[in-house]
Amino acid sequence: MILHTDLETLPREELEALQLKRLQRTVERCYHTVKFYRDAMDELGVTPNHIKTLQDVRHLPYTKKEHLRENYPFGLFAVPNEQVVRVHASSGTTGKPTVVGYTKRDINTWAQLVARCLSAAGLRPGDRLHNAYGYGLFTGGLGLHYGGEELGVMTTPMSGGQTQKQIMLLQDFAPTAISCTPSYALNLAEAAEEMGVDIRKLPLKIGVHGAEPWTEEMRYEIESRLGIDAVDIYGLSEVMGPGVGNECIEAKNGLHIWEDHFLVECVDVDTGKPLPYGEEGEIVFTSLTKEAFPIIRYRTRDISVLDPAPCKCGRTHVRMRRITGRSDDMLIIRGVNVFPSQVESILMQSETLSPFYQIEVYREGNLDHMVVNVEGSPPLMEQPEETQQRVAQKLVRDIKDFIGVSCNVNIKGVGDIPRSEGKAVRVIDHRKK
Ligand code: DLL
Protein backbone atom coordinates (compact mmCIF):
# COMPACT_ATOMS: atom_id res chain seq x y z
CA MET A 1 0.00 0.00 0.00
CA ILE A 2 1.36 3.42 -0.89
CA LEU A 3 0.04 6.06 1.42
CA HIS A 4 0.80 9.57 0.27
CA THR A 5 -1.19 12.71 -0.09
CA ASP A 6 -2.19 14.35 -3.37
CA LEU A 7 0.29 17.11 -2.57
CA GLU A 8 3.20 14.66 -2.79
CA THR A 9 2.23 13.58 -6.30
CA LEU A 10 1.10 16.93 -7.74
CA PRO A 11 2.10 17.38 -11.38
CA ARG A 12 5.17 19.68 -11.44
CA GLU A 13 3.25 22.56 -13.05
CA GLU A 14 0.67 22.63 -10.30
CA LEU A 15 3.32 22.18 -7.62
CA GLU A 16 5.31 25.11 -8.99
CA ALA A 17 2.21 27.32 -9.20
CA LEU A 18 1.54 26.57 -5.55
CA GLN A 19 5.17 27.28 -4.65
CA LEU A 20 5.09 30.64 -6.43
CA LYS A 21 1.94 31.74 -4.63
CA ARG A 22 3.44 30.72 -1.29
CA LEU A 23 6.83 32.28 -2.07
CA GLN A 24 5.23 35.61 -2.92
CA ARG A 25 3.28 35.55 0.32
CA THR A 26 6.38 34.64 2.36
CA VAL A 27 8.53 37.38 0.84
CA GLU A 28 5.78 39.95 1.33
CA ARG A 29 5.42 38.98 5.01
CA CYS A 30 9.16 38.92 5.66
CA TYR A 31 9.61 42.31 4.05
CA HIS A 32 6.89 43.91 6.12
CA THR A 33 7.46 42.20 9.47
CA VAL A 34 11.18 41.41 9.86
CA LYS A 35 13.60 44.32 9.87
CA PHE A 36 16.53 42.10 8.94
CA TYR A 37 14.86 40.97 5.70
CA ARG A 38 13.64 44.44 4.80
CA ASP A 39 17.12 45.94 5.27
CA ALA A 40 18.77 43.10 3.31
CA MET A 41 16.30 43.43 0.42
CA ASP A 42 16.50 47.24 0.40
CA GLU A 43 20.26 46.97 0.17
CA LEU A 44 19.92 44.89 -3.00
CA GLY A 45 17.11 47.07 -4.34
CA VAL A 46 14.63 44.17 -4.34
CA THR A 47 10.99 44.46 -3.32
CA PRO A 48 8.34 41.74 -2.96
CA ASN A 49 6.93 42.86 -6.35
CA HIS A 50 10.06 41.57 -8.06
CA ILE A 51 9.01 37.98 -7.37
CA LYS A 52 7.08 37.14 -10.56
CA THR A 53 8.45 33.63 -11.17
CA LEU A 54 10.12 30.97 -9.02
CA GLN A 55 13.46 31.82 -10.62
CA ASP A 56 13.14 35.32 -9.17
CA VAL A 57 14.03 33.85 -5.78
CA ARG A 58 17.59 34.31 -7.03
CA HIS A 59 17.26 38.08 -6.60
CA LEU A 60 16.73 37.66 -2.87
CA PRO A 61 19.57 37.92 -0.35
CA TYR A 62 20.97 34.86 1.40
CA THR A 63 20.46 34.22 5.10
CA LYS A 64 23.34 32.66 7.04
CA LYS A 65 23.82 31.20 10.48
CA GLU A 66 25.61 34.34 11.66
CA HIS A 67 22.48 36.36 10.86
CA LEU A 68 20.56 34.22 13.32
CA ARG A 69 23.25 34.82 15.94
CA GLU A 70 23.24 38.58 15.29
CA ASN A 71 19.49 38.64 15.90
CA TYR A 72 19.60 36.47 19.03
CA PRO A 73 17.24 35.46 20.49
CA PHE A 74 13.95 36.47 18.82
CA GLY A 75 14.96 39.17 16.32
CA LEU A 76 13.96 37.23 13.19
CA PHE A 77 10.48 36.25 14.39
CA ALA A 78 7.76 37.43 12.02
CA VAL A 79 4.92 37.33 14.55
CA PRO A 80 4.50 38.98 17.98
CA ASN A 81 6.07 36.83 20.73
CA GLU A 82 2.57 36.17 22.16
CA GLN A 83 1.81 34.02 19.11
CA VAL A 84 4.91 31.88 19.53
CA VAL A 85 4.06 28.66 21.37
CA ARG A 86 7.44 26.85 21.12
CA VAL A 87 11.11 27.68 20.72
CA HIS A 88 14.01 25.39 19.92
CA ALA A 89 17.70 26.17 19.79
CA SER A 90 20.71 24.54 18.27
CA SER A 91 23.72 24.35 20.49
CA GLY A 92 26.63 25.42 18.33
CA THR A 93 30.07 24.88 19.79
CA THR A 94 30.86 28.52 20.48
CA GLY A 95 28.85 31.51 21.62
CA LYS A 96 25.10 31.85 21.73
CA PRO A 97 22.80 29.20 20.28
CA THR A 98 20.60 29.92 17.28
CA VAL A 99 16.95 30.18 18.24
CA VAL A 100 13.87 29.35 16.18
CA GLY A 101 10.16 29.75 16.99
CA TYR A 102 6.83 28.16 16.04
CA THR A 103 3.20 29.29 16.11
CA LYS A 104 0.45 26.78 16.80
CA ARG A 105 -0.04 26.40 13.08
CA ASP A 106 3.71 25.88 12.55
CA ILE A 107 3.64 23.05 15.09
CA ASN A 108 0.74 21.47 13.18
CA THR A 109 2.49 21.81 9.84
CA TRP A 110 5.65 20.35 11.31
CA ALA A 111 3.75 17.37 12.77
CA GLN A 112 2.10 16.76 9.39
CA LEU A 113 5.41 16.88 7.55
CA VAL A 114 7.12 14.49 9.97
CA ALA A 115 4.07 12.20 9.65
CA ARG A 116 4.63 12.39 5.90
CA CYS A 117 8.28 11.39 6.43
CA LEU A 118 7.34 8.43 8.61
CA SER A 119 4.77 7.36 6.07
CA ALA A 120 7.36 7.62 3.27
CA ALA A 121 9.66 5.46 5.44
CA GLY A 122 6.95 2.80 5.48
CA LEU A 123 5.19 3.38 8.82
CA ARG A 124 1.42 3.14 8.96
CA PRO A 125 -1.18 4.03 11.62
CA GLY A 126 -1.06 1.26 14.17
CA ASP A 127 2.72 0.91 14.00
CA ARG A 128 4.78 1.59 17.13
CA LEU A 129 7.65 4.07 17.16
CA HIS A 130 10.52 3.98 19.66
CA ASN A 131 11.81 7.54 19.47
CA ALA A 132 15.42 7.74 20.64
CA TYR A 133 16.20 11.23 19.34
CA GLY A 134 17.06 13.60 22.18
CA TYR A 135 14.19 15.59 23.70
CA GLY A 136 14.92 19.19 24.62
CA LEU A 137 16.17 22.22 22.76
CA PHE A 138 17.22 19.88 19.91
CA THR A 139 14.38 19.48 17.40
CA GLY A 140 14.84 15.73 16.88
CA GLY A 141 12.94 14.35 19.88
CA LEU A 142 9.83 16.52 19.86
CA GLY A 143 9.82 16.71 16.05
CA LEU A 144 9.61 12.95 15.59
CA HIS A 145 7.28 12.67 18.57
CA TYR A 146 4.59 14.95 17.18
CA GLY A 147 4.95 13.36 13.74
CA GLY A 148 4.46 9.88 15.19
CA GLU A 149 1.33 10.94 17.05
CA GLU A 150 0.02 12.76 13.98
CA LEU A 151 0.39 9.60 11.88
CA GLY A 152 -1.39 7.57 14.57
CA VAL A 153 1.47 5.44 15.80
CA MET A 154 2.12 4.51 19.43
CA THR A 155 5.08 6.77 20.17
CA THR A 156 7.50 6.14 23.04
CA PRO A 157 9.40 9.32 24.07
CA MET A 158 12.58 7.42 24.95
CA SER A 159 15.10 10.18 24.12
CA GLY A 160 18.84 9.36 23.90
CA GLY A 161 20.92 7.51 26.50
CA GLN A 162 20.06 4.78 29.05
CA THR A 163 21.06 2.34 26.37
CA GLN A 164 20.37 -0.87 28.29
CA LYS A 165 16.92 0.34 29.26
CA GLN A 166 16.29 1.07 25.58
CA ILE A 167 17.05 -2.56 24.78
CA MET A 168 14.60 -3.68 27.46
CA LEU A 169 11.83 -1.47 26.07
CA LEU A 170 12.56 -2.60 22.53
CA GLN A 171 11.77 -6.11 23.76
CA ASP A 172 8.81 -5.25 26.01
CA PHE A 173 6.97 -2.57 23.99
CA ALA A 174 7.61 -4.38 20.70
CA PRO A 175 7.98 -1.26 18.54
CA THR A 176 7.91 -1.81 14.78
CA ALA A 177 10.04 1.27 14.09
CA ILE A 178 12.87 3.19 15.71
CA SER A 179 14.03 6.76 15.17
CA CYS A 180 17.55 7.78 16.20
CA THR A 181 20.83 8.91 14.70
CA PRO A 182 22.58 6.24 12.59
CA SER A 183 25.50 6.21 15.02
CA TYR A 184 23.17 5.58 17.95
CA ALA A 185 21.48 2.74 16.05
CA LEU A 186 24.85 0.98 15.94
CA ASN A 187 25.47 1.74 19.59
CA LEU A 188 22.12 0.05 20.38
CA ALA A 189 22.97 -2.94 18.19
CA GLU A 190 26.23 -3.41 20.05
CA ALA A 191 24.59 -3.08 23.48
CA ALA A 192 21.94 -5.64 22.52
CA GLU A 193 24.64 -8.08 21.39
CA GLU A 194 26.43 -7.62 24.72
CA MET A 195 23.17 -8.29 26.58
CA GLY A 196 22.59 -11.43 24.53
CA VAL A 197 19.50 -9.97 22.84
CA ASP A 198 19.02 -10.62 19.13
CA ILE A 199 17.38 -7.40 17.89
CA ARG A 200 16.83 -9.03 14.52
CA LYS A 201 14.28 -11.35 16.07
CA LEU A 202 12.21 -8.47 17.53
CA PRO A 203 9.22 -6.98 15.61
CA LEU A 204 11.34 -3.92 14.71
CA LYS A 205 11.28 -3.47 10.92
CA ILE A 206 12.01 0.18 10.07
CA GLY A 207 14.68 2.65 11.20
CA VAL A 208 14.31 6.38 10.53
CA HIS A 209 17.81 7.77 10.75
CA GLY A 210 19.27 11.23 10.22
CA ALA A 211 20.60 14.35 11.96
CA GLU A 212 24.17 13.45 10.94
CA PRO A 213 25.90 12.34 7.73
CA TRP A 214 25.98 8.60 7.05
CA THR A 215 26.93 6.43 4.11
CA GLU A 216 25.41 3.57 2.12
CA GLU A 217 27.91 1.27 3.84
CA MET A 218 26.59 2.43 7.21
CA ARG A 219 23.03 1.76 6.00
CA TYR A 220 24.03 -1.79 5.14
CA GLU A 221 25.63 -2.25 8.56
CA ILE A 222 22.54 -0.95 10.40
CA GLU A 223 20.14 -2.99 8.28
CA SER A 224 22.01 -6.21 8.79
CA ARG A 225 22.70 -5.77 12.50
CA LEU A 226 19.18 -4.66 13.41
CA GLY A 227 17.31 -6.62 10.77
CA ILE A 228 15.43 -3.54 9.51
CA ASP A 229 15.03 -1.21 6.53
CA ALA A 230 17.04 1.92 7.40
CA VAL A 231 15.67 5.10 5.81
CA ASP A 232 17.19 8.58 5.73
CA ILE A 233 15.40 11.60 7.28
CA TYR A 234 16.69 15.14 6.86
CA GLY A 235 16.08 18.51 8.40
CA LEU A 236 17.64 21.37 10.31
CA SER A 237 16.32 23.57 13.06
CA GLU A 238 16.73 26.82 11.09
CA VAL A 239 14.37 25.51 8.41
CA MET A 240 11.97 23.59 10.72
CA GLY A 241 13.69 20.60 12.32
CA PRO A 242 13.43 17.00 11.11
CA GLY A 243 10.93 16.55 8.30
CA VAL A 244 12.24 18.82 5.54
CA GLY A 245 12.73 15.71 3.44
CA ASN A 246 12.76 11.92 3.64
CA GLU A 247 13.66 8.91 1.60
CA CYS A 248 10.87 6.69 0.39
CA ILE A 249 11.20 3.05 1.35
CA GLU A 250 10.39 2.02 -2.24
CA ALA A 251 13.59 3.52 -3.70
CA LYS A 252 15.83 4.30 -0.69
CA ASN A 253 17.73 6.51 -3.03
CA GLY A 254 17.76 10.15 -1.94
CA LEU A 255 15.47 12.32 0.14
CA HIS A 256 12.27 13.76 -1.32
CA ILE A 257 12.24 17.40 -0.29
CA TRP A 258 8.69 18.46 0.64
CA GLU A 259 8.56 21.13 -2.00
CA ASP A 260 5.06 22.35 -1.24
CA HIS A 261 6.59 23.74 1.99
CA PHE A 262 10.23 24.43 1.05
CA LEU A 263 11.80 25.88 -2.06
CA VAL A 264 15.16 24.19 -2.52
CA GLU A 265 18.19 25.40 -4.48
CA CYS A 266 21.71 24.11 -4.90
CA VAL A 267 24.45 26.76 -5.16
CA ASP A 268 28.21 26.98 -5.57
CA VAL A 269 29.78 26.94 -2.09
CA ASP A 270 32.31 29.68 -2.87
CA THR A 271 30.45 32.01 -5.21
CA GLY A 272 26.82 31.40 -4.19
CA LYS A 273 25.94 31.04 -7.89
CA PRO A 274 22.89 28.77 -8.47
CA LEU A 275 23.82 25.40 -10.00
CA PRO A 276 21.76 23.26 -12.38
CA TYR A 277 20.17 19.99 -11.22
CA GLY A 278 22.74 17.20 -11.03
CA GLU A 279 25.67 19.35 -9.89
CA GLU A 280 27.06 19.09 -6.40
CA GLY A 281 26.84 22.16 -4.21
CA GLU A 282 25.44 23.73 -1.07
CA ILE A 283 21.75 23.23 -0.39
CA VAL A 284 19.70 26.41 0.20
CA PHE A 285 16.12 26.55 1.49
CA THR A 286 13.34 29.12 1.52
CA SER A 287 10.36 28.28 3.71
CA LEU A 288 6.98 28.65 2.01
CA THR A 289 4.46 28.20 4.82
CA LYS A 290 6.15 29.06 8.10
CA GLU A 291 4.62 31.78 10.26
CA ALA A 292 6.81 32.49 13.29
CA PHE A 293 10.20 31.94 11.73
CA PRO A 294 10.04 32.17 7.95
CA ILE A 295 13.44 31.92 6.35
CA ILE A 296 14.68 33.17 2.99
CA ARG A 297 17.47 31.43 1.07
CA TYR A 298 19.10 29.82 4.10
CA ARG A 299 22.63 28.61 3.37
CA THR A 300 22.65 25.20 5.07
CA ARG A 301 26.35 24.42 4.43
CA ASP A 302 25.12 20.89 3.61
CA ILE A 303 26.65 19.51 0.44
CA SER A 304 24.53 17.44 -1.92
CA VAL A 305 23.05 17.09 -5.40
CA LEU A 306 19.41 17.65 -6.46
CA ASP A 307 17.97 14.94 -8.68
CA PRO A 308 14.70 15.66 -10.53
CA ALA A 309 14.40 12.15 -12.05
CA PRO A 310 10.97 10.58 -11.52
CA CYS A 311 10.87 8.18 -8.58
CA LYS A 312 9.28 4.78 -8.57
CA CYS A 313 7.20 5.70 -5.51
CA GLY A 314 5.24 8.16 -7.66
CA ARG A 315 6.15 11.27 -5.67
CA THR A 316 6.92 14.27 -7.85
CA HIS A 317 9.06 16.10 -5.28
CA VAL A 318 12.72 16.47 -6.20
CA ARG A 319 15.21 14.19 -4.46
CA MET A 320 18.29 15.39 -2.63
CA ARG A 321 21.03 12.78 -2.61
CA ARG A 322 22.43 11.66 0.71
CA ILE A 323 24.37 14.57 2.28
CA THR A 324 28.11 14.16 1.68
CA GLY A 325 28.91 16.38 4.64
CA ARG A 326 28.85 19.99 5.74
CA SER A 327 31.13 22.47 4.04
CA ASP A 328 32.48 23.42 7.46
CA ASP A 329 33.21 19.76 8.34
CA MET A 330 35.28 19.32 5.23
CA LEU A 331 38.90 18.76 6.20
CA ILE A 332 41.62 20.19 4.06
CA ILE A 333 44.61 17.92 4.50
CA ARG A 334 47.67 19.17 2.65
CA GLY A 335 45.43 20.69 0.00
CA VAL A 336 43.17 17.64 -0.40
CA ASN A 337 39.50 18.04 0.50
CA VAL A 338 38.33 15.19 2.71
CA PHE A 339 34.84 14.54 4.04
CA PRO A 340 34.61 12.18 7.03
CA SER A 341 31.94 10.26 5.06
CA GLN A 342 34.55 9.32 2.44
CA VAL A 343 36.70 7.77 5.14
CA GLU A 344 33.62 6.05 6.59
CA SER A 345 32.84 4.43 3.22
CA ILE A 346 36.27 2.86 3.11
CA LEU A 347 36.32 1.70 6.74
CA MET A 348 32.88 0.14 6.48
CA GLN A 349 33.89 -2.03 3.57
CA SER A 350 36.23 -4.00 5.78
CA GLU A 351 34.66 -6.91 7.60
CA THR A 352 37.48 -7.02 10.12
CA LEU A 353 36.56 -3.62 11.58
CA SER A 354 33.77 -2.37 13.83
CA PRO A 355 31.74 0.64 12.68
CA PHE A 356 33.16 2.94 15.37
CA TYR A 357 35.74 5.46 14.25
CA GLN A 358 37.09 8.93 14.84
CA ILE A 359 39.42 11.09 12.79
CA GLU A 360 42.07 13.28 14.38
CA VAL A 361 43.87 16.06 12.57
CA TYR A 362 47.13 17.65 13.75
CA ARG A 363 49.53 20.19 12.39
CA GLU A 364 53.17 19.15 12.58
CA GLY A 365 55.37 22.05 11.55
CA ASN A 366 53.64 23.31 8.43
CA LEU A 367 52.10 19.97 7.52
CA ASP A 368 48.61 18.70 8.26
CA HIS A 369 48.44 15.17 9.47
CA MET A 370 45.36 12.91 9.56
CA VAL A 371 45.03 9.95 11.93
CA VAL A 372 42.13 7.53 11.59
CA ASN A 373 41.26 5.64 14.77
CA VAL A 374 38.99 2.68 14.16
CA GLU A 375 37.99 -0.25 16.32
CA GLY A 376 38.89 -3.74 15.17
CA SER A 377 36.15 -6.36 15.25
CA PRO A 378 36.37 -8.69 18.30
CA PRO A 379 37.84 -11.55 16.15
CA LEU A 380 40.52 -9.23 14.72
CA MET A 381 41.52 -8.15 18.21
CA GLU A 382 42.24 -11.78 19.06
CA GLN A 383 44.68 -12.02 16.15
CA PRO A 384 48.41 -11.29 16.56
CA GLU A 385 49.64 -7.70 16.33
CA GLU A 386 51.05 -8.29 12.80
CA THR A 387 47.62 -9.22 11.45
CA GLN A 388 46.16 -6.03 12.87
CA GLN A 389 49.03 -4.05 11.37
CA ARG A 390 48.35 -5.56 7.95
CA VAL A 391 44.71 -4.41 8.18
CA ALA A 392 45.88 -0.91 9.15
CA GLN A 393 48.35 -0.78 6.26
CA LYS A 394 45.69 -1.82 3.77
CA LEU A 395 43.43 0.99 5.03
CA VAL A 396 46.26 3.50 4.65
CA ARG A 397 46.67 2.36 1.02
CA ASP A 398 42.93 2.43 0.30
CA ILE A 399 42.54 5.92 1.77
CA LYS A 400 45.50 7.11 -0.32
CA ASP A 401 44.10 5.45 -3.48
CA PHE A 402 40.48 6.53 -3.14
CA ILE A 403 40.72 9.91 -1.37
CA GLY A 404 44.25 10.91 -2.30
CA VAL A 405 45.53 11.68 1.16
CA SER A 406 48.23 9.98 3.24
CA CYS A 407 47.29 9.20 6.82
CA ASN A 408 48.02 6.93 9.76
CA VAL A 409 45.53 4.31 10.87
CA ASN A 410 45.33 3.04 14.46
CA ILE A 411 43.39 -0.13 15.10
CA LYS A 412 41.76 0.36 18.49
CA GLY A 413 40.40 -2.18 20.94
CA VAL A 414 36.68 -2.84 21.36
CA GLY A 415 35.07 0.06 23.26
CA ASP A 416 38.01 2.47 22.82
CA ILE A 417 36.11 4.95 20.62
CA PRO A 418 33.48 6.92 22.56
CA ARG A 419 29.92 5.76 21.76
CA SER A 420 27.44 8.38 20.60
CA GLU A 421 24.02 8.94 22.13
CA GLY A 422 23.03 11.51 19.52
CA LYS A 423 25.16 13.13 16.87
CA ALA A 424 28.51 11.33 16.71
CA VAL A 425 31.71 13.37 16.97
CA ARG A 426 33.62 12.12 13.94
CA VAL A 427 36.46 14.61 13.84
CA ILE A 428 38.79 16.06 16.45
CA ASP A 429 40.70 18.84 14.77
CA HIS A 430 43.64 19.74 17.01
CA ARG A 431 44.55 22.54 14.59
CA LYS A 432 41.59 24.55 15.85
CA LYS A 433 42.81 24.66 19.45
O1 DLL B 1 19.54 17.51 13.18
C1 DLL B 1 17.22 17.90 12.74
C2 DLL B 1 16.99 16.44 12.61
C3 DLL B 1 16.60 15.69 13.71
C4 DLL B 1 17.08 15.82 11.37
C5 DLL B 1 16.34 14.36 13.58
C6 DLL B 1 16.83 14.48 11.22
C7 DLL B 1 16.46 13.73 12.33
P1 DLL B 1 20.07 20.42 13.65
O2 DLL B 1 20.52 19.97 14.99
O3 DLL B 1 19.76 21.85 13.44
O4 DLL B 1 18.76 19.67 13.22
O5 DLL B 1 21.20 19.95 12.64
C8 DLL B 1 21.01 20.11 11.27
O6 DLL B 1 22.30 18.13 10.75
O7 DLL B 1 22.28 20.93 8.53
C9 DLL B 1 22.92 18.56 8.53
O8 DLL B 1 24.26 19.02 8.55
C10 DLL B 1 22.75 17.48 9.58
N1 DLL B 1 21.73 16.52 9.13
C11 DLL B 1 20.44 16.46 9.43
N2 DLL B 1 19.85 15.40 8.82
C12 DLL B 1 20.82 14.79 8.08
C13 DLL B 1 20.87 13.66 7.23
C14 DLL B 1 18.62 18.30 13.06
N3 DLL B 1 19.82 12.90 7.00
C15 DLL B 1 22.17 19.54 10.51
N4 DLL B 1 22.06 13.38 6.62
C16 DLL B 1 21.99 19.64 9.01
C17 DLL B 1 23.16 14.13 6.85
C18 DLL B 1 22.02 15.53 8.27
N5 DLL B 1 23.17 15.19 7.66
Side-chain angles (χ1 to χ4, degrees):
M1 180 183 58
I2 298 181
L3 200 159
H4 38 60
T5 64
D6 294 347
L7 284 167
E8 291 168 69
T9 51
L10 269 187
R12 290 297 305 181
E13 246 174 53
E14 285 175 47
L15 178 60
E16 286 169 16
L18 178 68
Q19 286 186 303
L20 179 59
K21 204 169 79 195
R22 291 179 166 180
L23 175 67
Q24 287 168 329
R25 207 185 302 148
T26 297
V27 174
E28 182 82 35
R29 278 192 57 236
C30 284
Y31 189 79
H32 291 292
T33 54
V34 185
K35 181 174 181 311
F36 164 77
Y37 286 118
R38 190 169 51 252
D39 290 349
M41 286 170 63
D42 283 349
E43 199 170 306
L44 293 180
V46 195
T47 67
N49 290 335
H50 284 101
I51 307 298
K52 304 256 189 274
T53 69
L54 281 180
Q55 268 61 38
D56 291 335
V57 73
R58 297 177 179 184
H59 300 310
L60 296 170
Y62 285 123
T63 307
K64 296 184 173 172
K65 196 161 187 108
E66 55 259 35
H67 297 135
L68 272 71
R69 291 227 172 84
E70 285 158 18
N71 289 281
Y72 175 85
F74 305 144
L76 296 185
F77 288 7
V79 297
N81 287 346
E82 296 71 46
Q83 289 174 31
V84 175
V85 299
R86 172 102 65 87
V87 289
H88 279 283
S90 76
S91 47
T93 39
T94 50
K96 300 278 191 190
T98 50
V99 181
V100 295
Y102 306 77
T103 62
K104 247 184 194 159
R105 207 188 75 169
D106 290 332
I107 295 285
N108 277 338
T109 311
W110 187 14
Q112 281 164 15
L113 289 182
V114 175
R116 205 191 260 189
C117 290
L118 294 173
S119 167
L123 277 84
R124 295 292 173 266
D127 269 314
R128 298 179 188 182
L129 177 67
H130 178 99
N131 184 22
Y133 282 113
Y135 281 65
L137 289 176
F138 174 53
T139 52
L142 285 169
L144 266 292
H145 185 98
Y146 275 57
E149 291 185 347
E150 175 70 22
L151 183 63
V153 309
M154 185 203 282
T155 307
T156 303
M158 183 63 219
S159 199
Q162 294 185 281
T163 304
Q164 298 201 337
K165 184 167 178 186
Q166 305 233 6
I167 304 298
M168 182 181 85
L169 297 191
L170 286 174
Q171 297 173 87
D172 297 348
F173 293 2
T176 49
I178 180 166
S179 45
C180 61
T181 57
S183 56
Y184 193 57
L186 287 177
N187 189 350
L188 282 169
E190 181 187 52
E193 283 155 24
E194 279 166 10
M195 289 165 71
V197 175
D198 189 350
I199 292 200
R200 289 168 303 183
K201 297 217 171 99
L202 302 180
L204 205 60
K205 59 182 194 311
I206 297 168
V208 186
H209 305 299
E212 64 185 6
W214 55 312
T215 54
E216 275 309 299
E217 289 79 9
M218 177 79 103
R219 182 190 331 251
Y220 177 76
E221 184 82 21
I222 293 173
E223 291 190 332
S224 47
R225 285 178 75 170
L226 282 88
I228 58 174
D229 278 303
V231 180
D232 201 357
I233 182 168
Y234 172 81
L236 60 166
S237 47
E238 295 86 344
V239 175
M240 184 175 76
V244 174
N246 210 92
E247 277 185 331
C248 58
I249 189 165
E250 293 89 341
K252 280 202 237 164
N253 186 14
L255 304 115
H256 290 282
I257 298 296
W258 307 132
E259 287 185 280
D260 46 338
H261 293 269
F262 308 102
L263 188 68
V264 59
E265 301 172 79
C266 184
V267 307
D268 185 283
V269 178
D270 300 319
T271 64
K273 215 172 115 251
L275 297 171
Y277 280 148
E279 280 189 29
E280 187 175 79
E282 180 178 347
I283 300 298
V284 171
F285 288 105
T286 301
S287 70
L288 298 176
T289 52
K290 283 173 68 190
E291 290 185 332
F293 191 85
I295 193 139
I296 292 183
R297 300 196 89 199
Y298 185 66
R299 300 276 303 247
T300 62
R301 307 188 204 183
D302 289 330
I303 305 298
S304 182
V305 174
L306 296 176
D307 177 5
C311 184
K312 65 175 166 190
C313 70
R315 289 181 181 81
T316 49
H317 294 213
V318 72
R319 272 177 290 172
M320 175 180 82
R321 283 199 209 133
R322 186 185 270 301
I323 301 276
T324 319
R326 295 174 59 79
S327 55
D328 40 5
D329 285 349
M330 189 182 75
L331 299 167
I332 304 181
I333 310 288
R334 276 172 264 154
V336 182
N337 296 348
V338 183
F339 279 110
S341 62
Q342 293 173 293
V343 176
E344 178 179 300
S345 283
I346 293 172
L347 299 179
M348 296 269 167
Q349 284 170 30
S350 166
E351 279 170 13
T352 54
L353 299 174
S354 289
F356 303 102
Y357 70 95
Q358 211 162 42
I359 299 169
E360 287 185 83
V361 187
Y362 302 88
R363 178 157 292 144
E364 283 167 6
N366 285 328
L367 279 189
D368 299 319
H369 196 63
M370 180 167 97
V371 177
V372 177
N373 297 309
V374 58
E375 283 183 20
S377 62
L380 177 67
M381 298 323 284
E382 281 165 18
Q383 298 290 315
E385 174 76 23
E386 305 88 78
T387 315
Q388 296 172 23
Q389 277 314 313
R390 270 202 299 280
V391 172
Q393 280 154 14
K394 176 164 187 324
L395 287 171
V396 168
R397 281 197 304 276
D398 287 349
I399 291 171
K400 176 77 186 157
D401 288 350
F402 292 104
I403 310 180
V405 69
S406 307
C407 68
N408 279 6
V409 171
N410 293 327
I411 306 285
K412 297 282 193 176
V414 177
D416 282 355
I417 305 284
R419 299 293 185 260
S420 112
E421 293 188 345
K423 294 179 192 255
V425 178
R426 298 295 191 199
V427 176
I428 302 174
D429 194 338
H430 299 281
R431 299 174 301 184
K432 289 185 178 160
K433 280 186 188 150

